[in-house]
Amino acid sequence: LPSPSPPPPAPENSTADDYFQQGNEHYSAGNFAAAITSYDYALQLKPDKHEAWNNRGSALGSLGQHELAIASYDHALQIKPDYHFALSGRGVALDNLGQHEAAIASYDQVLQIKPDNHEAWNNRGVALNNLGQHEAAIASYDQALQIKPDDHVAWFGRGIALDKLGQYEAAIASYDKALQIKPDFHTAWFNRAAAFCGWSQIRHLTPSLLSTLEFSSISTSPNSVQQNIHPHITALQAALPHLAPQTYGLGYILEALGDAYRKHAGEDPKQNWREAYRSYTKALICLTEAEYPRERLKVLQKLIQICMALDDLKDGIVDSLQRQGAALREQLRTTLPELEQAQFLQQYASFGQTTVDLLVRQGHGTGALETAEADKNALMSWLVTAHTQADAVPQLAYAAMRRLLQPHRAIVYWHLSAEALTTFILHPDHTEPIPLIQPTATAALQQRDQLTQLLTTWNRTYAEFVPKKDGRSSNPTWRETTLPATLSALADLLQIDLIQSHLQSSLNDPITELILVPHRELHRLPLEALFPQACTRLPSLQVGLDLSPAPRLDLATVPSLSIEAPTHTGTDPLYHASVESHLLQEVLPQTTLIPSRQAQAATVLAQLQNPTFQILHFNGHARHDFDQPHRSALGLTGDDTLTAREIVDLDLAHFQLVTLASCETAIAGDMTIASEAVSLTTALLASRIPAIVSTLWSVESAASALFMLTFYQHLADSMPISQAFHTTQEWLRRVSVADLQLRAQTLLQSRPPRAVQEFLETWQTELSTMKPEATPYQEPYYWAAFTLTGVPDAT
């Protein structure tokens, strides 16, 4: 812990106790920074005053500086090892840092000194809940309640543990105990209502049972709430008489009530949406801009969404709400340090998404697209500005976006909010973007719900599709059924026929190239498979404008770097890795190979920064962290990795092409993506690499090796990168068994190493069991996984 800063000259006759008392007064008033300064003065005069170290830790914890708080508590414990207050505070700080086991150990020390410390038992229950050890948490809360039966916080924590175990009736009873002691405990009301919601899903609540459980314990008349509606809503309504007017607690419950009306809207939702509108409007009265600006902004977002769902655009209501929200969001953003602004924008991403929906509905397609693009780039600012001196990502005007168009090239740009999917078509023959939306808010919600269900099924069945080391799976449902069905359903949901009708309206050249810009969970899907045109994808148009067009490469002379399937801890060896590496060396003669056993982080990093290399081929495993995408990583030898964050910090601008050939290297996120895609591919784009080939899922070994070999052979024939990629995909889906047998025989005649020969012979044997005219790789599983990210070649 750093020594306290030297204080200014102290008043005459000031003592350590004077400063200590002054610090306590500041602390009681909520002036934690001032309290820390006062405690520092006290400790300069009396360094062994353990109470001052302890209270200093409490003040630091109140400011969220938990590491420093722990250090301060440790000073107190060095002076007085049995000071249970410091041990308790230390436990709270550890729990806040996610170090739950260490927190429990600290609370156990408290209980050895003071077994009747109900707060330590209670906090121990919190840490056990955080660890998912809910039965043990209940036992800990019960100990606290034996000592202090009127501890409403312990009853509340006990209810949480029971709720997590699915014991909803017991959880409700526990929340009721908390509410008997503290009737205005708004979070207990919230959790209690959620327990009713969970219980109603597994058991039908009869009116008599609902009345008994809902009202007897808390003395609320059933006449004070609406009957014959969902118990989740009814339970929240029951809280309203117990909460003081214009308080945070009332605003919190009113917002939750609005959410419940939306959640349980049913097949005829408009009446519930109107009730949600009333609840959110009342919540705004409580959540004032001066006291609760972030909470108010969140409610404003929801209120705008409800107004749009009700098609209530008259009288300027939505415009007024939108202006309020935009001003408040900007005001809050500018008060934050730069490093925290992206996190803030991510937290309130749905506000920008709703703004796009509103502008489209009002006929402002250009403004809507500019807003969507601005939000994308703000959320990816750590990528967009990685190698520039820019302090912020500039607003991209539509005129600048059009620079990516060509007479034969259009852009399909999707925007996905909680309520609607909007498709923007940027066509070289149209001066304004063409937005495609559903005719009504209800239809838009249905489309959005169908897309959510599609992604849920996709993710669940893919998780069950566990490839073996040869790329095959014992459960082929996802490959053989879900994937083709998903593509068919997706074509309908995304209105591909309607998009194509707009693309075919060209007055000049036909559209033969597309740039696809997905949004949120659409990044997860093989959108290219829905279009006959050659497709590349971009995370945003700003990223595309920062790239140079992919050049033509002379593979005979271009130096390349190949990393051969590192054996990463916990992953299976890749069956085709050495085969693919050998075959590629035939078309990439200027290749430096890093064999699997040598692919440690230090070696790979040193070679990546060698400016002579222009092509990088990585054939290995990837790991994706959906909660913290910047921690997604390529697996290297042993435990070594190369994370997306580390890739962004490298200058890899000398590479003209990167191919990430193996496992799921293009995946950007799952159904929880709320902001924008950040993946290993987009991390590489930070270095302005113009072309990146990656995969959305693991592909069978022979097909993967064949795709990469054919792609590079097209490049060796001087074909542009995007054309080579598209041609390879089309060839793979249509190539016959007879042609593949000829290809295998030709490769065997070159007398490859033994491992490659065995691979080719096994492949040849498999082909011999098929009809010569069959097309074994026609299923989308084999060819649709590959994606090309970047800007199409210059023409």
Side-chain angles (χ1 to χ4, degrees), residues 440-470:
T440 67
T442 302
L445 276 173
Q446 289 174 346
Q447 181 189 36
R448 186 64 177 90
D449 290 344
Q450 289 170 349
L451 184 59
T452 298
Q453 183 57 48
L454 181 147
L455 263 295
T456 301
T457 302
W458 171 283
N459 290 337
R460 186 188 69 250
T461 52
Y462 182 69
E464 297 166 355
F465 177 77
V466 183
K468 299 176 182 178
K469 67 179 183 179
D470 65 353

Side-chain angles (χ1 to χ4, degrees), residues 447-774:
Q447 181 189 36
R448 186 64 177 90
D449 290 344
Q450 289 170 349
L451 184 59
T452 298
Q453 183 57 48
L454 181 147
L455 263 295
T456 301
T457 302
W458 171 283
N459 290 337
R460 186 188 69 250
T461 52
Y462 182 69
E464 297 166 355
F465 177 77
V466 183
K468 299 176 182 178
K469 67 179 183 179
D470 65 353
R472 298 179 181 179
S473 173
S474 58
N475 180 10
T477 302
W478 179 84
R479 184 191 75 204
E480 296 178 358
T481 305
T482 305
L483 176 54
T486 297
L487 290 176
S488 177
L490 192 62
D492 292 336
L493 273 174
L494 299 185
Q495 299 178 287
I496 299 300
D497 288 344
L498 180 59
I499 293 173
Q500 287 291 1
S501 70
H502 286 285
L503 294 176
Q504 291 168 3
S505 64
S506 173
L507 301 176
N508 299 306
D509 296 345
I511 298 298
T512 57
E513 288 183 359
L514 291 176
I515 295 176
L516 307 181
V517 186
H519 188 216
R520 299 178 63 185
E521 53 260 44
L522 291 177
H523 284 277
R524 180 72 178 86
L525 299 172
L527 301 168
E528 294 84 347
L530 306 178
F531 296 93
Q533 293 91 345
C535 296
T536 57
R537 63 168 63 192
L538 287 170
S540 79
L541 296 179
Q542 178 67 65
V543 169
L545 287 168
D546 290 340
L547 300 175
S548 299
R552 298 201 185 201
L553 298 169
D554 182 358
L555 299 195
T557 60
V558 167
S560 62
L561 176 66
S562 179
I563 303 173
E564 183 186 76
T567 305
H568 188 65
T569 302
T571 62
D572 292 330
L574 290 169
Y575 180 55
H576 62 293
S578 60
V579 176
E580 186 175 302
S581 295
H582 172 81
L583 295 176
L584 287 180
Q585 284 181 310
E586 298 298 317
V587 289
L588 290 169
Q590 304 299 317
T591 296
T592 297
L593 177 67
I594 303 179
S596 173
R597 63 185 180 276
Q598 297 177 18
Q600 292 95 353
T603 301
V604 170
L605 284 170
Q607 294 284 31
L608 285 176
Q609 295 174 94
N610 182 338
T612 62
F613 291 126
Q614 296 183 44
I615 296 175
L616 168 65
H617 180 74
F618 176 86
N619 188 348
H621 288 282
R623 170 178 57 78
H624 301 276
D625 189 322
F626 294 129
D627 294 324
Q628 301 182 69
H630 60 279
R631 296 178 60 181
S632 298
L634 298 174
L636 303 179
T637 298
D639 294 326
D640 285 2
T641 60
L642 183 63
T643 68
R645 175 75 267 181
E646 292 168 332
I647 291 172
V648 168
D649 291 337
L650 298 173
D651 185 358
L652 305 177
H654 47 282
F655 285 107
Q656 301 298 315
L657 170 65
V658 172
T659 55
L660 306 175
S662 291
C663 302
E664 305 169 345
T665 46
I667 290 179
D670 62 3
M671 285 297 292
T672 64
I673 276 188
S675 55
E676 193 43 63
V678 174
S679 68
L680 295 164
T681 301
T682 49
L684 287 164
L685 288 173
S687 286
R688 312 296 187 251
I689 299 170
I692 302 166
V693 176
S694 51
T695 55
L696 292 168
W697 56 80
S698 300
V699 182
E700 186 266 334
S701 55
S704 179
L706 193 58
F707 183 96
M708 283 296 147
L709 177 61
T710 305
F711 171 66
Y712 276 109
Q713 285 175 332
H714 285 317
L715 294 180
D717 292 336
S718 299
M719 193 177 288
I721 290 175
S722 61
Q723 183 182 341
F725 180 86
H726 181 64
T727 302
T728 301
Q729 273 196 320
E730 291 299 301
W731 173 83
L732 185 61
R733 67 191 295 189
R734 293 180 170 85
V735 65
S736 69
V737 168
D739 289 337
L740 291 172
Q741 287 175 321
L742 182 61
R743 172 72 71 93
Q745 187 60 40
T746 301
L747 292 172
L748 281 168
Q749 288 173 354
S750 66
R751 299 184 179 277
R754 182 64 187 167
V756 179
Q757 181 179 338
E758 290 177 354
F759 179 92
L760 293 171
E761 288 173 348
T762 300
W763 184 41
Q764 224 178 15
T765 301
E766 290 180 356
L767 291 171
S768 67
T769 65
M770 306 176 193
K771 295 180 180 179
E773 68 274 12

Side-chain angles (χ1 to χ4, degrees), residues 8 119 158 163 166 247 253 264 309 322 411 473 517 530 576 751:
E119 290 181 345
R158 188 175 184 274
D163 209 335
T247 58
I253 293 299
H264 306 293
Q322 183 67 27
I411 299 170
S473 173
V517 186
L530 306 178
H576 62 293
R751 299 184 179 277

